[in-house]
Amino acid sequence: MKTLEDVTQFLKDAQTYYLATADGDQPHVRPFGTAHIYNGHLYIQTGRSKDVSHQLDANGKAEICAMYKDKWLRICGKLAEDDTFEAKKSMLDAYPSLRRMYSENDGNTIVYYFEKAVATLYSFTDAPEVVEI
């Protein structure tokens, strides 16, 4: 694993990953499934009305953890909102099933990207691989 593309493909292969955020001093973890590259960054998507959105707006520090086969990936960094129509459209075009619930213009769709993050791939047999994304 050497590139942002490798990291994103791992998340897509895993299909479900877990996003951890903080609400004050209380961590919260929930399943997610969107992983999309746009403008050279890893993007995720959620709804503006959800608690996760409010938590990320207050504190953008987040972690993702995913497991696929015998390896797991941890991404640690800061998520920032991209409120552009183009970023939302790109995400929804990549995940057309989300269009049943979201639209670029609905005022609820929100996309975040990792401004700066470190992805580490682990296994039980190999040394960890680190990628800055």
Side-chain angles (χ1 to χ4, degrees):
M1 178 165 301
K2 297 182 180 165
T3 66
L4 171 61
E5 288 77 12
D6 295 334
V7 169
T8 304
Q9 188 60 53
F10 187 95
L11 293 174
K12 288 180 179 187
D13 290 343
Q15 296 181 353
T16 301
Y17 60 85
Y18 296 88
L19 175 70
T21 60
D23 188 1
D25 66 351
Q26 179 63 50
H28 293 274
V29 179
R30 80 277 291 152
F32 262 67
T34 54
H36 181 59
I37 297 173
Y38 179 73
N39 278 347
H41 295 281
L42 173 59
Y43 275 70
I44 65 170
Q45 183 274 336
T46 191
R48 189 173 299 280
S49 61
K50 294 184 177 182
D51 288 344
V52 64
S53 171
H54 303 294
Q55 292 158 7
L56 287 171
D57 289 344
N59 179 357
K61 291 181 181 177
E63 287 199 15
I64 285 176
C65 188
M67 186 157 194
Y68 181 65
K69 295 185 178 178
D70 62 345
K71 296 185 180 200
W72 65 97
L73 177 70
R74 181 181 300 149
I75 303 171
C76 179
K78 184 173 182 186
L79 287 165
E81 179 183 354
D82 183 338
D83 196 32
T84 65
F85 173 88
E86 294 81 10
K88 294 173 192 176
K89 181 176 184 334
S90 181
M91 175 64 80
L92 295 174
D93 286 349
Y95 290 88
S97 63
L98 290 175
R99 291 192 176 278
R100 292 182 302 214
M101 299 180 295
Y102 297 102
S103 142
E104 300 88 338
N105 297 312
D106 64 7
N108 184 41
T109 299
I110 188 167
V111 293
Y112 293 96
Y113 66 96
F114 276 102
E115 289 182 311
K116 185 176 173 184
V118 174
T120 307
L121 182 67
Y122 300 91
S123 79
F124 292 110
T125 57
D126 301 322
E129 296 178 51
V130 178
V131 179
E132 290 189 26
I133 57 171

